[in-house]
Amino acid sequence: MTTGGAGTRRNPADTPNLAEQAYRQIHRMIVRCELAPSAEVTQNELVASTGLGRSPVWEALARLTAEGLMISRPRFGYQVAPITLADIREIFGLREIVEPAAAELACQLVSDADLDQLDALCVAPDPAEDVETIMARNRDFHLLIGKLSGNRRLADVIERLVWESDRFFFYQAQSGYPVQQVPTGHQRLVQVLRTRDPASARLLADSDARLAAANLIELIVSARDPRPWPVSG
């Protein structure tokens, strides 16, 4: 396989894989707020930070722009999409609709083995665990609830919303929110699911989604937010 250095030609079959690598690296930097919301960045800067070529990075940027995580600025480069209160309200407004529905459906379908799997995602975090590990379990918990609903389209919507929420939670964690508390709410939901009471599962999932949104919005509009980047309305 040829390399992408000067005077060499890259095998075309390698391009999709390299573009995927570039996408994952840049996406991770955005979600972790290593590329700060509203920050301006050029393609050359991302080529340098990822260690990949211009073509894979360009493809990754096109994909991230289509997903709304990057904004193209012709002749200037790119801007990382800002975190806005409108985005938070829209995303969590949808989560308040779809996640209670998924919990209600899942409550009627889950097996004991499914519940054990959910329980395993509710373990108390080890003090040495980083935010990314804790957030990965949080993500997996919500995605599994969606899957257990038995409705593939509903699960797909939840997956998209959960991924879109990740950046908010990293932002929240970096602002001092105790993410170690996250599994506590999940444990309560699993306990309700074990009772096979669909109405109670719906109510609790709705309450959890509303509380998550309220905590995030309260942080952003309060003076406790130490982040140096702007959050717009």
Side-chain angles (χ1 to χ4, degrees), residues 117-177:
Q117 190 176 356
L118 286 168
D119 260 334
L121 295 170
C122 299
V123 295
D126 186 285
E129 284 185 325
D130 59 15
V131 173
E132 192 163 14
T133 301
I134 297 170
M135 288 297 99
R137 280 202 298 271
N138 174 70
R139 185 190 315 121
D140 290 345
F141 180 88
H142 290 283
L143 297 187
L144 183 54
I145 292 286
K147 180 181 177 181
L148 294 174
S149 74
N151 186 316
R152 179 175 56 82
R153 288 179 173 82
L154 179 60
D156 288 346
V157 172
I158 290 172
E159 181 174 7
R160 172 69 183 269
L161 293 171
V162 168
W163 277 107
E164 288 192 49
S165 303
D166 260 15
R167 187 162 67 136
F168 303 153
F169 289 126
F170 272 100
Y171 167 91
Q172 194 174 26
Q174 291 178 5
S175 300
Y177 182 80

Side-chain angles (χ1 to χ4, degrees), residues 73-229:
R73 300 294 191 205
R75 299 186 300 278
F76 294 99
Y78 293 83
Q79 182 183 32
V80 180
I83 288 178
T84 71
L85 289 173
D87 286 337
I88 293 169
R89 290 185 176 115
E90 284 185 3
I91 289 170
F92 278 95
L94 282 173
R95 290 187 67 168
E96 289 165 18
I97 295 170
V98 297
E99 293 197 47
E104 182 176 26
L105 290 169
C107 194
Q108 301 169 65
L109 299 172
V110 289
S111 66
D112 288 341
D114 294 330
L115 291 166
D116 290 343
Q117 190 176 356
L118 286 168
D119 260 334
L121 295 170
C122 299
V123 295
D126 186 285
E129 284 185 325
D130 59 15
V131 173
E132 192 163 14
T133 301
I134 297 170
M135 288 297 99
R137 280 202 298 271
N138 174 70
R139 185 190 315 121
D140 290 345
F141 180 88
H142 290 283
L143 297 187
L144 183 54
I145 292 286
K147 180 181 177 181
L148 294 174
S149 74
N151 186 316
R152 179 175 56 82
R153 288 179 173 82
L154 179 60
D156 288 346
V157 172
I158 290 172
E159 181 174 7
R160 172 69 183 269
L161 293 171
V162 168
W163 277 107
E164 288 192 49
S165 303
D166 260 15
R167 187 162 67 136
F168 303 153
F169 289 126
F170 272 100
Y171 167 91
Q172 194 174 26
Q174 291 178 5
S175 300
Y177 182 80
V179 293
Q180 291 78 10
Q181 296 178 4
V182 170
T184 304
H186 294 169
Q187 290 167 356
R188 289 195 297 267
L189 182 55
V190 176
Q191 289 169 0
V192 171
L193 291 172
R194 287 190 183 278
T195 68
R196 303 305 201 276
D197 182 347
S200 294
R202 170 182 275 275
L203 285 172
L204 183 55
D206 177 75
S207 174
D208 287 348
R210 290 179 186 276
L211 180 61
N215 286 339
L216 185 57
I217 291 171
E218 193 276 332
L219 168 69
I220 287 173
V221 301
S222 75
R224 295 188 294 107
D225 180 7
R227 297 289 91 195
W229 359 279

Side-chain angles (χ1 to χ4, degrees), residues 24-67:
R24 290 180 183 182
Q25 286 189 45
I26 299 169
H27 185 277
R28 184 173 184 270
M29 288 189 283
I30 294 171
V31 168
R32 289 175 61 89
C33 297
E34 293 167 1
L35 285 174
S38 301
E40 294 182 350
V41 64
T42 66
Q43 183 175 341
N44 287 339
E45 288 171 339
L46 292 171
V47 167
S49 62
T50 61
L52 298 168
R54 288 181 60 83
S55 180
V57 168
W58 181 85
E59 290 183 48
L61 286 168
R63 185 173 166 187
L64 290 162
T65 299
E67 292 176 356

